[in-house]
Amino acid sequence: MTTLGAIIRPQLPPERFRGLVQLADRAGLEEVWLWEDCFLEGGVSSAAAALAWTENVRVGVGLLPVPLRNVAIAAMEIASLQRMFPGRARVGVGHGVQEWMGQVGARVESPVTLLREYVEALRALLRGERVSVQGRYVRLEDVQLGWPPQEAVEVLVGAVRPRTVRLSGEVADGTILSEVTPADGVRRAVQLIAEGRAASGRGGEHAVVSYLLAATGDGAHDRLRAEVEGKGLGDVAGLGVAGDAKAVAEAVLRLVDAGADTVVLEPTGDEPDPEGFLRFVAEEVRPLVP
């Protein structure tokens, strides 16, 4: 069965977060996702609060920018979430927006090299291994978690460009594809992931999480068009969906047919009713998605 989720965008103030995640939990939504966008809400703190306030909904962080977080600290945070809330946290890591990384003095010369080193070290730490590594960016000496996860932990990588998508197949357990990736892009990403996995000799399953920009209700088409054009992507065919539950469900299924196993609906930045959007996803779209 396709997993369906919704994003709570960080443009909303933190004090609204509790009511939104509890609504999603009551409505039976499978997943809510949040972003650690600079310079808004913290990803780990928000995820921990959301998990504590709810009982069943899974909480995804998409994503933690690796230049901002020492890999040992990230491993400690992820392990703590997994031990306190087993099976309910999904955490992705990625390059981060390079302009933001530059603003805080964290931009690196080779983001791909950093991401490779980081994910390999992170996965080893989360397996409970004692890790020593002297990479170009990641340097650890005899580091081991005192409280590693009690079961295997999924590490996701957020990716847009082909090189990073392929790298996610090589080193990660899953890939997060942003809202700028239409169905054809998901299909191509799945091919690149497979190439990366083959190159590294990896077997087993690889999760593909795909965001889908969506708008419903009054002015939906105008809001979607403004969002897409604001991203400079007005000429990209098949990006986002506006309309009723049937139209949104059909767009979800196009991504599933292309290879996504989790689709996360992303409201526009000017969504006038965030609570209504969550109810729409859980109560109207979910029944139409097998």
Side-chain angles (χ1 to χ4, degrees):
M1 185 177 77
T2 303
T3 298
L4 190 67
I7 291 170
I8 299 176
R9 292 181 61 147
Q11 286 78 14
L12 295 172
E15 56 268 26
R16 291 192 64 180
F17 199 55
R18 181 173 186 163
L20 288 164
V21 296
Q22 289 180 333
L23 185 158
D25 200 38
R26 291 193 304 270
L29 194 61
E30 296 145 83
E31 296 186 353
V32 292
W33 283 72
L34 55 92
W35 300 340
E36 187 169 75
D37 274 5
C38 295
F39 300 95
L40 300 168
E41 291 119 0
V44 175
S45 56
S46 296
L51 290 162
W53 287 329
T54 56
E55 296 292 335
N56 299 301
V57 68
R58 292 188 296 273
V59 178
V61 182
L63 44 76
L64 302 179
V66 300
L68 293 182
R69 292 179 178 272
N70 180 280
V71 69
I73 298 297
M76 292 163 59
E77 300 275 30
I78 294 169
S80 295
L81 288 178
Q82 295 293 351
R83 290 184 71 111
M84 289 189 287
F85 309 100
R88 292 185 56 213
R90 303 187 76 184
V91 180
V93 299
H95 299 310
V97 176
Q98 294 306 295
E99 180 181 354
W100 293 339
M101 298 305 100
Q103 282 183 267
V104 298
R107 189 166 184 165
V108 298
E109 184 177 355
S110 178
V112 172
T113 300
L114 168 58
L115 189 59
R116 178 186 294 277
E117 294 179 355
Y118 194 102
V119 173
E120 290 174 346
L122 179 61
R123 295 183 73 243
L125 289 167
L126 292 173
R127 289 193 298 265
E129 297 176 11
R130 188 176 297 276
V131 181
S132 293
V133 60
Q134 292 294 315
R136 181 175 176 181
Y137 299 109
V138 175
R139 300 181 181 183
L140 301 173
E141 184 175 344
D142 199 30
V143 176
Q144 184 177 34
L145 294 181
W147 297 105
Q150 295 173 305
E151 53 189 50
V153 174
E154 169 191 61
V155 174
L156 304 172
V157 163
V160 175
R161 295 183 178 179
R163 188 178 176 192
T164 306
V165 174
R166 192 179 190 279
L167 175 65
S168 73
E170 290 184 50
V171 300
D173 303 302
T175 305
I176 302 171
L177 301 173
S178 78
E179 75 283 356
V180 304
T181 312
D184 287 346
V186 173
R187 192 169 287 108
R188 175 57 179 155
V190 169
Q191 295 174 346
L192 290 168
I193 290 165
E195 291 174 9
R197 291 177 67 75
S200 61
R202 300 191 66 195
E205 296 184 357
H206 184 98
V208 178
V209 179
S210 183
Y211 294 166
L212 174 62
L213 190 63
T216 191
D218 294 341
H221 289 85
D222 290 338
R223 286 189 284 113
L224 177 67
R225 182 170 59 252
E227 182 95 8
V228 171
E229 291 178 352
K231 296 176 183 290
L233 299 168
D235 59 345
V236 178
L239 203 60
V241 58
D244 60 11
K246 183 175 182 293
V248 174
E250 289 173 350
V252 169
L253 293 176
R254 286 193 289 271
L255 295 179
V256 172
D257 289 343
D261 50 64
T262 296
V263 177
V264 188
L265 297 180
E266 174 187 335
T268 59
D270 59 353
E271 167 59 53
D273 183 8
E275 290 83 2
F277 184 83
L278 291 174
R279 284 191 291 266
F280 168 73
V281 176
E283 298 172 5
E284 299 185 45
V285 180
R286 172 75 271 182
L288 302 179
V289 177

